[in-house]
């Protein structure tokens, strides 16, 4: 953020006429260099399309706008982290193992999505070791990530925080847009695909 604070003002409009003429010349040169360096057609990836469009609309002005958007995003993230610090870390008691909870939460969601069932948590009464597929898998992941926390408490927390949406089968992008379900093109008709009024196959 400190770097952007210094960089962005260098390219903004000047009140001083001589400085503005210098900036205008710099902009012309900068835009020409970006045009020369823009990806050539055919363009295969989205980021190259973005770079090409930025060069076409005026590389310097577009870049400064992007820098301003980046500064805003960084500022919002800084505010979020400050709120997290106050909410999660400045506590009168020992903070939970947030990293372990985050990993357990992701695994629980993956398990629910793939199986359509809630994972279960359990430990052997004799050894205390994990006794369910979910907690056994979580223990292995914790070992790989060098997480020292036991798996049982994060597993219980993750299972408790699953929602009905986590258990529901995932729809395709077309279905989310109200355009599906659409079968594959390979040897199948597209007649079952629900398209918006006026759209063509």
């Amino acid at each position: 953020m400190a770097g952007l604070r210094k960089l962005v003002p260098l390219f903004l409009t000047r009140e001083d006429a001589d400085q503005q003429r210098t900036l205008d010349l710099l902009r012309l040169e900068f835009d020409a260099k970006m045009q020369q360096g823009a990806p050539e057609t055919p363009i295969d990836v989205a980021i190259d399309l973005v770079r090409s469009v930025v060069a076409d609309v005026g590389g310097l002005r577009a870049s400064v706008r992007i820098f301003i958007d980046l500064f805003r995003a960084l500022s919002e993230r800084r505010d979020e982290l400050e709120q997290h610090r106050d909410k999660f870390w400045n506590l009168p008691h020992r903070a939970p193992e947030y990293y372990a909870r985050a990993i357990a939460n992701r695994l629980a969601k993956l398990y629910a999505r793939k199986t359509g069932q809630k994972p279960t948590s359990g430990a052997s009464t004799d050894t205390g070791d994990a006794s369910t597929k979910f907690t056994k898998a979580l223990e292995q992941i914790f070992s790989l990530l060098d997480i020292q926390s036991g798996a049982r408490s994060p597993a219980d927390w993750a299972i408790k925080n699953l929602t009905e949406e986590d258990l529901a089968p995932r729809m395709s992008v077309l279905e989310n847009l109200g355009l599906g379900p659409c079968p594959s093109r390979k040897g199948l008709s597209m007649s079952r695909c629900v398209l918006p009024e006026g759209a063509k196959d």
Side-chain angles (χ1 to χ4, degrees), residues 22 38-39 56 72 106 123 127 139 145 147 149 155 159 164 188:
T22 301
D56 285 343
R72 184 182 298 114
R106 291 179 184 180
T127 64
E139 275 189 347
L145 296 176
I147 297 175
S149 169
I159 293 167
E164 291 301 321
L188 294 174

Side-chain angles (χ1 to χ4, degrees), residues 71-85:
F71 181 88
R72 184 182 298 114
L74 288 169
S75 178
E76 290 176 359
R77 183 55 181 158
R78 178 202 57 196
D79 293 344
E80 290 172 357
L81 290 172
E82 289 177 349
Q83 292 174 6
H84 289 177
R85 179 190 60 203

